[in-house]
Amino acid sequence: MAGKPVRPTNAIDQTRRMLSLVTYLKERPGARVEDVARAFGITEDELVSDLDVLPMCGTSFRGGDLLDIDTDGERIWWHNPAALGEETAEPLRLAADEATALLVAARAVSTLPGLRESDRQALLRATAKVETAAGEAAGASARLSVTFESEGGVFADVDRAISERRRLWIRYYSPARDELTEREIDPIRLVSVGHTYVEAWCRRSEARRTFRLDRVAEIKILDEPSAPPEVELRDLSEGLVQPAAEDPEVVVEVGPGGRWVAEYYPHDSADELSDGGLRITLRTPDPASLRRLALRLGRDGRIVSPSDLADSAREAAREALAAYDGVEAQGAHAADAGREGQDEGRYDRQEQGL
């Protein structure tokens, strides 16, 4: 088969491609792998990767509803194309658990304080239609509710500041420095990538920054107008953290138990080590934030360079260990004191004939 892809791809591109691929294969039984790859402008490896995913797709997870597509390396066969045919496919019906989950989620979202009223009304109308369609299956959802954490209030203020083009004052917790800082920011947009963030122009650092809403300890909408400089919005489809070429380089070595770092942190390279670990080279605008990674890894990894970061990580580890030993010693002292008190109590009771 052909080598690696010659161009980057992402989940959105792959999803669009697979939707077109379903129609293409349905009309061409026994299509040749090389012909299909050429038609979609991808490598054969990419095509086979798509074919590995398609059998997990369908109208439901019941037998016969999933796409039965396979390949012998040269041709592609679809054994149940009628599974998606309008003539044979069953009307979409929600199972009781599906209807319950959908209705509970819809009602919970409709209570978010940051939701615009027009969106809330549209959601409530859609919820009513689902309830009618679900019939008796909707009954269980009325006995369940979901409450969102306090992040919702921050979301509402940020959303309002964006719509009214006003500046925000925030007290923000930075876990990398373990401190609260006060900042004035000009909000640009809200984004959701696992957590909810506000992308903004930070007046303190005079640069674009991204703040996680659940780390905002306090927030105020100011009277000053929001006036962020013209900045190109980043494509976040590849994730929130996208290191730049000019960011400082950090080298981390991990053992077999720390190989997960290569999966969760964007990196330039990950070279195999003789012990089954990896030597990972990555870039980050804030190298100090990786001290927490070093502490989390413990014996499974260490920072190699830059040397000042490696030294600070070792010092942080020593301080953490000393603090732990101090707590352990206090606990042992308390236990000894407790045992001595018990011994004295037994002696007193013996002396008193108790």
Side-chain angles (χ1 to χ4, degrees), residues 37-59:
R38 187 183 306 110
F40 281 82
I42 59 177
T43 68
E44 294 179 28
D45 283 345
E46 286 179 299
L47 175 59
V48 171
S49 177
D50 290 348
L51 296 177
D52 288 340
V53 175
L54 283 177
M56 293 183 282
C57 304
T59 56

Side-chain angles (χ1 to χ4, degrees), residues 83-318:
L84 297 184
E86 295 181 1
E87 309 83 12
T88 57
E90 295 182 0
L92 178 62
R93 291 188 176 89
L94 292 176
D97 57 339
E98 294 172 326
T100 299
L102 183 58
L103 290 170
V104 169
R107 293 193 187 107
V109 172
S110 69
T111 65
L112 281 175
L115 197 64
R116 293 182 176 88
E117 188 58 31
S118 59
D119 294 336
R120 191 190 317 278
Q121 294 302 320
L123 180 57
L124 291 174
R125 289 193 298 270
T127 303
K129 293 179 180 179
V130 173
E131 288 177 334
T132 301
E136 294 182 1
S141 66
R143 298 190 293 272
L144 300 172
S145 63
V146 174
T147 302
F148 288 98
E149 297 296 331
S150 57
E151 178 184 301
V154 176
F155 181 100
D157 286 340
V158 174
D159 186 59
R160 177 185 168 194
I162 292 174
S163 63
E164 297 180 2
R165 300 182 181 277
R166 292 167 62 180
R167 186 171 298 175
L168 287 168
W169 173 89
I170 61 172
R171 290 181 67 235
Y172 186 76
Y173 173 68
S174 174
R177 300 178 180 83
D178 191 26
E179 64 179 1
L180 281 167
T181 59
E182 296 184 7
R183 305 165 183 261
E184 288 190 8
I185 62 172
D186 292 337
I188 299 172
R189 61 172 174 170
L190 285 159
V191 294
S192 180
V193 185
H195 296 276
T196 305
Y197 302 81
V198 56
E199 191 172 10
W201 184 261
C202 178
R203 293 288 167 179
R204 171 176 169 167
S205 59
E206 287 298 316
R208 176 167 55 184
R209 293 288 184 265
T210 304
F211 302 96
R212 217 170 97 174
L213 296 196
D214 61 355
R215 291 177 181 164
V216 175
E218 189 177 353
I219 186 170
K220 296 178 184 177
I221 302 177
L222 304 178
D223 292 332
E224 288 88 342
S226 173
E230 292 292 332
V231 293
E232 183 179 354
L233 295 181
R234 298 179 297 163
D235 178 10
L236 300 179
S237 60
E238 293 295 328
L240 188 69
V241 180
Q242 300 176 23
E246 62 271 16
D247 289 340
E249 182 180 274
V250 179
V251 178
V252 181
E253 288 188 353
V254 300
R259 293 179 67 95
W260 57 267
V261 174
E263 300 178 12
Y264 286 89
Y265 285 79
H267 55 276
D268 294 338
S269 63
D271 301 321
E272 294 284 345
L273 298 177
S274 58
D275 65 350
L278 294 171
R279 183 182 178 90
I280 302 170
T281 302
L282 53 84
R283 295 182 182 277
T284 173
D286 185 14
S289 64
L290 294 181
R291 282 199 300 264
R292 293 171 64 87
L293 172 63
L295 292 173
R296 181 180 177 186
L297 285 168
R299 296 180 179 179
D300 286 326
R302 66 188 182 96
I303 295 175
V304 177
S305 66
S307 58
D308 58 341
L309 178 60
D311 293 340
S312 67
R314 283 193 290 270
E315 180 61 28
R318 281 193 289 267

